[in-house]
Structures are given as structure tokens and as C-alpha cells.
Amino acid sequence: MSEDVLKKVISHAKEYGFIFQSSEIYDGLSATYDYGQNGIALKNNIKEYWWKSMVQLHENIVGIDAAIFMHPTTWKASGHVDAFNDPLIDNKDSKKRYRADVLVEDYCAKIETKIDKEVEKAAKRFGDSFDKEMFLKTNPRVLEYQKEIETALSRLAKSLTDNDLEDVKKLIEELGIADPISGSRNWTDVRQFNLMFGTKLGSTADTATDLYLRPETAQGIFVNFLNVQRTGRMKIPFGIAQIGKAFRNEIVARQFIFRMREFEQMELQFFVAPNTEMEFYEKWKQTRLQWHLNLGMGEENYRFHDHEKLAHYANAAADIEFNFPFGFKELEGIHSRTDFDLKQHQEFSGKKLQYFDSERNESYIPYVVETSIGLDRMFLALLSKGLKEEQLPDGTERTVLKITPALAPVKAAILPLIKKDGLPEIAEKIFDDLKLDFLVEYDEKDSIGKRYRRHDAIGTPFCITIDHDTLADDSVTIRERDSMEQKRVKITEIHSIMSKEVSMTSLLKNLL
Ligand code: ATP
């Protein structure tokens, strides 16, 4: 069923110019995608929402745009050369490759579905008197399932932290995990695989320098920490935000744009005084959750997942997970990165990366709280939750993309009812009036019903129809996407209605 939803999202994304496979005429390149005409508009709107919520709404956050190429020592200092690995395992029969940790996590997710089923059954049996929390705490079968999950995940966390790959394999065997495709349990040993893409800088082979494509945008912020702090006269606590491409040679890149080899991140590094990081970590967890909830996709579709296994740089970490068509998965990470990165860069570069705190009257290396969200995953969240198939009262069906109007690719469609009698001229005038402030589309082809459907499918919040009455009363019909209600309004009112309903300002206001 959920696979069906994902399939629909993928074909809809292609049919309506959101996402194409990269180099499709050459049969594509795996896990690489291109954004089409509507895709880029939606993507830019997500970026604007994120960027303004960070940089414009916080006086102590500024933005930068660092290069993708960085000095190769950056990645030694950050730990990526030595530790940016995924444990991989191959199935000897199917020859398919998997991430060993993901196999265990998927196994646990299946047990969690069993728990959900028990809850569902009990809710039916007990009716109104059902107490879910109590049930989860006391039902023996549920408790057993929970224990199974906990045991598996904590053992995985321990063996990965100890780099005990033999034990990871043993765990997979003991849990009886089979290849999801072939059902075979014939596994190779687990090996570590570095995820960074290498490339070369320089014209001749012997003088060329080995470079990496950045696997995260964060390091571009860290190496510029002092540049920004000094030139911007920033006082701690303050943040640096960045949106940019990152590259990872993912072992298994599946699930459409959820896991790509080239993707975009929106990251904030927030610099704080030592020993204050936990307070800011908690604060950013809440701030980021509010940013998501403001999009109206339903509180029940988000949850925090606190990490058991912490990355080498972190002293606390949580994911905001979203209910994708294939279940709850990481959408955003919030990490307390300690002073690890700046300390490492100070050591490897030999340059002091310290901040003088005039209130404390001391110099220190700041601590960092990071929020890091994948732009493409956010895109997938919006597309997969927003896409609805609806039965209409007249027996027909429509496919509609219900996303918050401020993020919709096209804000309004301007539709002359027919192509003559002066209607196109009025429509063009309305189009010219709106285009300075909003991305609008003029569309005169096909019946009005077909044009409505086309715009429902790309999530256009308003369709503005110009008909013969317009000639007499200077009014148009505005149809709202979700309710399909139609209202007659004066041409002179259109701009202010749009400003109220579809502007980024109205979305941002709720965050204050
Ligand atoms: P995962 O566990 O899913 O591999 P991660 O924990 O490695 O993700 P981070 O390093 O925390 O991810 O990166 C921050 C964010 O960047 C993630 O929350 C995700 O939204 C996004 N991201 C990471 N890898 C990819 C990818 N291959 N494709 C698309 N987005 C990604």
C-alpha cells in the first residue's frame, strides 16, 4: 500500500514537471535527479521559508555560501577521512548490497508495526475505555516486542561504536534477517565503506591534488567561523546558516529523492558558550519542530528519535522523523557537536579559532549546536503528504496537491474562459499586474474544467477565471484549490487577497 503511494508520487512528480531522472535519455544515473519547472519553484520556496526563518527572523543569525571544494586537510580534521563510513554487507545469493545498520533498523521497524497492530486490535476491543499509554506499558506481548527492539538496537549501537563488525554480522544472523529481495540469509562479512567522492585538482597527474566533494555543508561554516564573527561583529550566542549541495557515495540509494548521491542541505551552526549547549540543543529541537508543524501536515506525522549511537563529534543528537510513504524516517538532524570541529580545525590549521567573551572575560573555543535538514527530503515530505486523490460529489475524481499556499510552485492561474471577445486581453492585464509579486501562470488552452484539474495537480492555490460578466462588472471568479469554492471578486481586490493568502510573510508570521 505504502509502496503504491511512493509509486504514485514518483509518476506524478515526473508527469507534472517536478522531478525527472538525471540524464534520462541515457537511461538515467542511479540516485541522481533533476528538478523540473514546477520542482524548482517548490524547492526555491522551501529554501526561502527556511532561509528567512533563520536569517531574517533572527538578528543573531547570518548566512554564507561556501565553496563545494575545500582544502583536503579539512576532511582529515573533521574526521571524515577516517570515520565517515557506512558498514556494508552483501548477500552472496542475490549479490545485492545493503547497509548492515539499516537491515537491523528495518527489522526493528517491522516489530514496531506489530506493536501498532496490537494497539489497533485492543483499541477496537476496548472501545472508548481504551487507554493506549497504559496498554503500551502493561501488555505482555507489546513489552516483549519492545524489549526485542531495545536489545537489538543497543547491541548494534555498541558494536558500531566499538567498530566490532564481526558482531554486527553475528547480530544480523542471530536475528535471522533475510535479504528483502531474495529471502536468502547467506551474508558476507561486514566491511566499512567511505562515503566521500574523490576528485582531482590540477592539470598534470603528478602535480594534481586529491580533493573531495563535500559530504556536508557544515565544514564550510566552521572554517569561516572567525571570518564571519569578526567582520559581522557577532557576539555569542550566534548562528551561521547555509544552503548548499553535498555529495555522498551512498551504498544503497533507494526510495527516490530520500537518499541521493548529490543532494542539498540547509544547515545552521549555532555557536554557544561551553556548558550552555544543552539548553540551546533543547531550544533548537523545539524551534525546528515548530517550523515543520507550521506547514500544516499534521503533528502525528512527526516524532523525535533520540540517538543511542552518537557520532564521534556529538554529545547529544536527535532526528526529527517524518512519516514518509515508507514509514517514519529521518528528515532533519539536530546535533550538539561540542567544540569538536573548531578544536580540530585549530589543531590541523595551526590557526587560533577562539572567541573572546567580554562578559565572561575569557577566551574559549565555542560549542556548536547544529540543525541540518535535507532539502530534497523536505520536498518529498511535502509531495507525498500533499498528494491526494479525491472523489467529487459529481462522481468524478481529481488529483490535488494540497500544500501550504506559500510554498506552492504557482500561486495563481489566470484563465480567460474563451480565447476571444476581449477576455484574453483582460486576463493578460491581470497577469501583468500580479507577476511582479507572484509566480502566476496564464493558461487559455482546453476547457475550464481541464485547466482546473491541471492546476489542482501542481497545487496552485487559486484559479482566476475571466468570463463575459467581467466585461460588464470588472469582477472575476476566484476558485480556491482545497474547498473548490468559487467567489466573485473585483479585479482590484485580487492583489490583496493573494498577499493575504499565499505570501511567505503570512507563513513566517506564525513563527514569531
Ligand atoms: P541517514 O541516516 O538517513 O543516512 P544521516 O544521519 O547520515 O542520514 P546527516 O549526516 O545528519 O544524515 O545529514 C543531515 C540531513 O541531510 C539528513 O537529515 C537528511 O535530511 C539529509 N541527507 C543526508 N543524506 C542524504 C542523502 N543521501 N540524500 C538526501 N538527503 C540526505
Side-chain angles (χ1 to χ4, degrees):
M1 159 60 188
S2 54
E3 288 288 303
D4 283 355
V5 176
L6 186 63
K7 270 195 198 138
K8 274 192 192 136
V9 170
I10 296 171
S11 70
H12 190 89
K14 180 172 176 191
E15 189 179 343
Y16 288 95
F18 284 93
I19 297 169
F20 308 120
Q21 191 163 26
S22 156
S23 346
E24 193 188 286
I25 58 167
Y26 294 105
D27 296 331
L29 182 68
S30 77
T32 327
Y33 294 90
D34 297 339
Y35 285 81
Q37 66 280 16
N38 288 318
I40 182 64
L42 172 53
K43 202 177 178 195
N44 281 341
N45 292 340
I46 303 172
K47 282 191 202 177
E48 188 187 345
Y49 175 46
W50 185 87
W51 187 263
K52 287 191 167 166
S53 77
M54 289 293 183
V55 175
Q56 201 163 304
L57 298 193
H58 292 94
E59 55 182 325
N60 61 350
I61 297 180
V62 292
I64 63 162
D65 182 29
I68 288 170
F69 289 145
M70 297 185 71
H71 192 284
T73 310
T74 309
W75 307 111
K76 288 208 183 86
S78 68
H80 283 80
V81 171
D82 295 323
F84 194 53
N85 301 316
D86 273 346
L88 69 85
I89 187 164
D90 293 274
N91 187 280
K92 288 186 196 159
D93 296 324
S94 71
K95 308 273 181 275
K96 291 276 175 211
R97 180 162 287 179
Y98 297 94
R99 256 172 70 177
D101 54 336
V102 172
L103 283 180
V104 177
E105 279 162 13
D106 284 352
Y107 171 87
C108 293
K110 268 195 204 134
I111 305 181
E112 218 160 283
T113 339
K114 287 187 192 166
I115 297 180
D116 291 344
K117 283 214 179 101
E118 292 292 331
V119 170
E120 233 173 80
K121 264 199 299 188
K124 262 195 207 142
R125 203 169 40 202
F126 294 114
D128 285 347
S129 62
F130 181 59
D131 179 344
K132 184 174 165 190
E133 244 168 65
M134 181 63 87
F135 180 78
L136 287 175
K137 273 194 214 141
T138 52
N139 180 275
R141 196 169 292 162
V142 168
L143 290 176
E144 209 170 287
Y145 284 147
Q146 279 167 349
K147 187 149 179 264
E148 241 180 279
I149 294 177
E150 264 167 44
T151 315
L153 289 184
S154 57
R155 171 139 164 227
L156 176 70
K158 182 170 179 344
S159 37
L160 287 178
T161 310
D162 300 345
N163 205 16
D164 185 353
L165 299 182
E166 242 170 72
D167 193 59
V168 178
K169 181 182 182 186
K170 242 196 245 160
L171 177 63
I172 289 175
E173 287 174 339
E174 283 171 27
L175 295 174
I177 297 177
D179 180 335
I181 295 172
S182 66
S184 149
R185 293 189 172 83
N186 194 5
W187 297 108
T188 62
D189 288 342
V190 178
R191 283 168 294 149
Q192 291 288 18
F193 175 77
N194 193 291
L195 296 177
M196 285 197 293
F197 280 106
T199 185
K200 287 197 184 301
L201 174 129
S203 50
T204 56
D206 45 338
T207 59
T209 313
D210 285 320
L211 290 188
Y212 294 106
L213 298 186
R214 67 179 178 198
E216 63 176 24
T217 55
Q219 300 304 325
I221 296 180
F222 295 133
V223 299
N224 278 300
F225 159 70
L226 268 193
N227 283 338
V228 174
Q229 190 272 319
R230 285 190 180 145
T231 56
R233 290 173 289 114
M234 307 303 290
K235 278 182 87 174
I236 271 183
F238 74 92
I240 304 179
Q242 178 171 219
I243 299 178
K245 289 257 172 154
F247 303 82
R248 296 182 189 180
N249 198 0
E250 298 280 2
I251 297 165
V252 194
R254 263 182 289 146
Q255 295 160 329
F256 196 35
I257 54 170
F258 180 82
R259 193 174 297 289
M260 301 154 91
R261 300 210 162 93
E262 172 180 343
F263 58 99
E264 226 163 323
Q265 291 185 313
M266 305 191 285
E267 294 197 312
L268 167 76
Q269 308 299 328
F270 199 73
F271 299 92
V272 304
N275 299 322
T276 63
E277 71 273 17
M278 280 307 149
E279 172 198 325
F280 287 101
Y281 170 70
E282 292 303 333
K283 183 183 160 286
W284 277 109
K285 272 174 78 174
Q286 292 315 320
T287 306
R288 291 304 304 147
L289 184 63
Q290 285 313 314
W291 184 90
H292 287 284
L293 296 180
N294 191 27
L295 295 172
M297 289 199 281
E299 205 166 339
E300 69 285 2
N301 289 314
Y302 300 87
R303 69 181 189 197
F304 281 116
H305 167 236
D306 294 309
H307 282 212
E308 298 213 5
K309 177 188 180 259
L310 293 174
H312 57 278
Y313 51 75
N315 66 357
D319 298 334
I320 295 180
E321 292 187 337
F322 182 74
N323 191 8
F324 287 99
F326 33 82
F328 275 95
K329 296 269 177 206
E330 173 176 346
L331 168 59
E332 169 157 7
I334 294 131
H335 309 124
S336 172
R337 292 182 80 123
T338 68
D339 59 352
F340 175 84
D341 300 272
L342 290 179
K343 215 166 157 181
Q344 289 288 103
H345 287 306
Q346 173 167 293
E347 190 182 322
F348 277 73
S349 68
K351 309 265 161 45
K352 265 201 162 166
L353 292 179
Q354 301 208 344
Y355 169 82
F356 179 72
D357 189 325
S358 51
E359 272 162 42
R360 292 189 179 200
N361 198 23
E362 60 171 343
S363 288
Y364 53 75
I365 296 179
Y367 272 52
V368 173
V369 174
E370 161 187 85
T371 74
S372 173
I373 173 170
L375 175 54
D376 313 271
R377 282 192 194 177
M378 191 59 222
F379 191 108
L380 182 58
L382 284 159
L383 209 60
S384 57
K385 266 297 163 268
L387 204 58
K388 308 264 189 245
E389 276 170 0
E390 289 183 346
Q391 289 284 342
L392 302 180
D394 67 359
T396 58
E397 260 188 26
R398 70 163 182 163
T399 303
V400 53
L401 183 62
K402 292 189 169 176
I403 53 175
T404 196
L407 299 190
V410 176
K411 301 295 190 251
I414 321 291
L415 315 171
L417 190 63
I418 54 168
K419 277 191 248 177
K420 51 184 188 184
D421 303 339
L423 304 187
E425 287 74 11
I426 302 178
E428 273 165 28
K429 195 167 167 307
I430 296 174
F431 176 85
D432 285 341
D433 248 14
L434 293 176
K435 75 178 180 192
L436 278 174
D437 294 308
F438 308 101
L439 184 64
V440 286
E441 255 179 39
Y442 176 87
D443 189 357
E444 56 175 27
K445 204 167 162 284
D446 298 322
S447 72
I448 198 77
K450 270 197 185 155
R451 282 181 269 171
Y452 282 164
R453 294 291 166 273
R454 246 192 330 260
H455 280 281
D456 283 345
I458 62 166
T460 307
F462 293 111
C463 285
I464 300 170
T465 306
I466 295 91
D467 57 22
H468 288 95
D469 289 342
T470 309
L471 299 169
D473 64 4
D474 283 331
S475 298
V476 294
T477 303
I478 288 199
R479 171 187 179 271
E480 199 269 327
R481 179 194 69 199
D482 297 352
S483 64
M484 296 193 294
E485 262 171 29
Q486 304 196 5
K487 263 197 317 204
R488 247 357 241 182
V489 305
K490 289 274 176 216
I491 291 175
T492 47
E493 291 171 328
I494 298 175
H495 198 287
S496 68
I497 294 177
M498 297 270 295
S499 299
K500 191 165 152 250
E501 303 290 339
V502 307
S503 71
M504 192 59 74
T505 313
S506 56
L507 190 63
L508 288 167
K509 247 186 204 153
N510 305 329
L511 296 177
L512 296 178

